Amino acid sequence: MAIPSFDLKRNYARVEDEIKEAIDRVLASQHFIMGPDVAAFEGEAAAYLETPYAVGCASGSDALILALMASGVGPGDEVITSPFSFFATVSCITRLGARPVFADVEPDTYNMAVESVASALTPKTKAVIPVHLFGQLCRLEEITGALEEKNIALVEDCAQAFGAHRVHDGRIIRGGAWGGFGCFSFFPTKNLGAYGDAGMVTCFKESDAKELSRLRVHGATETYLHDEVGLNSRLDSIQAAILRVRLRKIETWTEERREAARRYGLLFAERSLEDEIQTPVETPGNRHTYHQYVVKAKRRDELQKFLAERGVVTRVYYPLPLHLQPCFASAGYKPGAFPVAEALSGQVLALPMFPELLPEEQETVVSAIAEFYKR
Ligand SMILES: Cc1ncc(COP(=O)(O)O)c(C=O)c1O
């Protein structure tokens, strides 16, 4: 039997009745645009993340654009980010006419290395976008240290890290709650997924929340009055109602992912595959939420093909680092500029991971990997 990389149907079966009830409520109200569920979800998400403000929007990609706009990023500015991420992490920068400046990642966590961020800072740096890749937070306390005094905006890309946290000074701080902006995607396959596109920005200042709220409705200060040009990027009321149901389950689902990750770790250890497979590293103080369970594999492409023939679906995030994407050529980076990110793109493999993944399915995945390496 095939083992998918994720299975939304199994998850839906667990919440179907509540979801239908929530959708019916919005349908009965016919309040589709900025209905009461939007504000309710924003309040509940802000409470969960422990941020003063949360502003819903249409996608994670828009969340990044809105946060950069609210930070005043524009032509002539530089924004530092990771070359090993999803496309939208960088397109938000170039869409605003700013220049992406990349900082290489750590080989074990795949997150931006603190030292490479520090060496990428220039007087033109207007913002830094740490990407919490695959569900684990960057070393934010070290990255943010230099930013505040230089008046550089912190825009966390939390698209893959809803509910991830890091302990700092004995305090638990979730992704999106580190004092700048937190940008979330609720794309259906994300840990907190909607049933369509949806996103959100968290922030700490009331003035930023007001600016984001204006920018998502064409920059309007009141109906038909525009001091600036924004986007049409509202969080849909039906998606907000769905997200409210799903937010109530997120802790259970996150713990199920973490349990599945622990089980993969044990299964790999039992087979003594450490020479061929490097399992994900959860660094001290981090709560990894395993949006993806990404291993580094020897002979990755051959392994992926072998697994596919046995019905095990795996994915490669990401096969081409962003500094080498043709559309970002004008940023001026050549192959070899970011050796860690470039090496990772030939090694990483995301194994099946979702809350409902069965222990016997994990056993099948790891057995097939062991068979490939003849272990
Ligand atoms: C790291 C990262 N940033 C940004 C995004 C963009 O989110 P969305 O697909 O909701 O626009 C995604 C989602 O795919 C992502 O994984």
Side-chain angles (χ1 to χ4, degrees), residues 48-130:
Y48 174 85
L49 296 168
E50 297 186 77
T51 58
Y53 303 101
V55 178
C57 63
S59 69
S61 305
D62 278 5
L64 287 161
I65 292 183
L66 288 165
L68 290 185
M69 287 173 86
S71 309
V73 169
D77 294 329
E78 293 179 356
V79 178
I80 299 173
T81 195
S82 168
F84 195 60
S85 180
F86 177 63
F87 179 75
T89 303
V90 178
S91 59
C92 60
I93 303 169
T94 58
R95 279 279 300 272
L96 295 175
R99 175 172 183 261
V101 173
F102 295 103
D104 210 352
V105 294
E106 300 172 330
D108 53 351
T109 65
Y110 321 138
N111 279 336
M112 249 181 356
V114 176
E115 314 72 52
S116 38
V117 176
S119 59
L121 290 168
T122 78
K124 289 186 180 169
T125 310
K126 186 85 178 181
V128 174
I129 309 180

Side-chain angles (χ1 to χ4, degrees), residues 341-356:
E342 289 169 37
L344 286 174
S345 48
Q347 298 168 334
V348 287
L349 192 64
L351 304 184
M353 171 53 82
F354 47 96
E356 300 77 18

Side-chain angles (χ1 to χ4, degrees), residues 11-24 245:
N11 186 265
Y12 179 53
R14 299 169 77 182
V15 288
E16 186 172 348
D17 292 344
E18 287 170 81
I19 293 282
K20 285 183 171 159
E21 221 177 281
I23 294 176
D24 275 350
V245 173

Side-chain angles (χ1 to χ4, degrees), residues 158-182:
C158 306
Q160 301 187 4
F162 191 92
H165 74 228
R166 190 167 167 84
V167 178
H168 176 47
D169 278 347
R171 206 160 72 81
I172 285 175
I173 310 182
R174 293 195 197 275
W178 287 74
F181 295 94

Side-chain angles (χ1 to χ4, degrees), residues 25-358:
R25 194 181 59 240
V26 180
L27 291 178
S29 77
Q30 289 289 298
H31 202 152
F32 299 117
I33 305 295
M34 301 303 284
D37 279 290
V38 173
F41 171 69
E42 290 170 339
E44 288 156 12
Y48 174 85
L49 296 168
E50 297 186 77
T51 58
Y53 303 101
V55 178
C57 63
S59 69
S61 305
D62 278 5
L64 287 161
I65 292 183
L66 288 165
L68 290 185
M69 287 173 86
S71 309
V73 169
D77 294 329
E78 293 179 356
V79 178
I80 299 173
T81 195
S82 168
F84 195 60
S85 180
F86 177 63
F87 179 75
T89 303
V90 178
S91 59
C92 60
I93 303 169
T94 58
R95 279 279 300 272
L96 295 175
R99 175 172 183 261
V101 173
F102 295 103
D104 210 352
V105 294
E106 300 172 330
D108 53 351
T109 65
Y110 321 138
N111 279 336
M112 249 181 356
V114 176
E115 314 72 52
S116 38
V117 176
S119 59
L121 290 168
T122 78
K124 289 186 180 169
T125 310
K126 186 85 178 181
V128 174
I129 309 180
V131 184
H132 307 313
L133 205 67
F134 305 142
Q136 174 161 236
L137 298 196
C138 300
R139 292 196 271 149
L140 280 172
E141 67 284 359
E142 295 174 60
I143 292 174
T144 52
L147 306 187
E148 215 165 304
E149 66 207 41
K150 295 195 168 99
N151 205 17
I152 296 170
L154 170 70
V155 177
E156 295 175 60
D157 185 337
C158 306
Q160 301 187 4
F162 191 92
H165 74 228
R166 190 167 167 84
V167 178
H168 176 47
D169 278 347
R171 206 160 72 81
I172 285 175
I173 310 182
R174 293 195 197 275
W178 287 74
F181 295 94
C183 301
F184 292 86
S185 163
F186 304 124
F187 186 82
T189 56
K190 295 291 194 270
N191 287 28
L192 179 62
Y195 291 166
D197 278 308
M200 183 179 80
V201 187
T202 52
C203 64
F204 276 72
K205 292 189 203 140
E206 189 184 6
S207 55
D208 285 334
K210 284 189 171 156
E211 172 70 348
L212 290 165
S213 304
R214 281 192 295 273
L215 286 170
R216 72 173 167 183
V217 289
H218 297 287
T221 35
E222 55 187 86
T223 310
Y224 303 129
L225 182 68
H226 304 262
D227 287 333
E228 61 187 324
V229 177
L231 310 177
N232 175 4
S233 185
R234 298 168 293 235
L235 173 60
D236 183 272
S237 294
I238 289 181
Q239 298 305 337
I242 290 166
L243 285 165
R244 291 183 69 194
V245 173
R246 296 175 59 77
L247 179 61
R248 296 200 286 270
K249 323 283 179 193
I250 193 68
E251 275 303 301
T252 305
W253 295 341
T254 301
E255 286 309 316
E256 288 169 350
R257 284 176 185 269
R258 287 179 56 76
E259 180 56 24
R262 202 183 58 83
R263 199 176 299 117
Y264 266 137
L266 292 175
L267 290 170
F268 280 117
E270 276 169 17
R271 310 283 176 136
S272 303
L273 280 161
E274 43 287 304
D275 286 343
E276 289 88 6
I277 295 285
Q278 187 186 312
T279 54
V281 173
E282 184 180 47
T283 54
N286 259 317
R287 183 205 198 201
H288 197 319
T289 54
Y290 294 99
H291 171 55
Q292 300 293 347
Y293 186 89
V294 176
V295 298
K296 278 199 271 184
K298 284 204 175 133
R299 293 160 46 216
R300 193 267 319 272
D301 293 344
E302 281 173 67
L303 171 64
Q304 186 176 34
K305 191 162 164 282
F306 182 88
L307 292 174
E309 284 161 7
R310 277 149 190 78
V312 175
V313 182
T314 60
R315 296 184 188 243
V316 174
Y317 308 109
Y318 296 89
L320 183 65
L322 294 168
H323 64 288
L324 301 179
Q325 290 289 346
C327 65
F328 300 138
S330 63
Y333 294 100
K334 298 277 178 288
F338 301 105
V340 181
E342 289 169 37
L344 286 174
S345 48
Q347 298 168 334
V348 287
L349 192 64
L351 304 184
M353 171 53 82
F354 47 96
E356 300 77 18
L357 183 65
L358 300 171

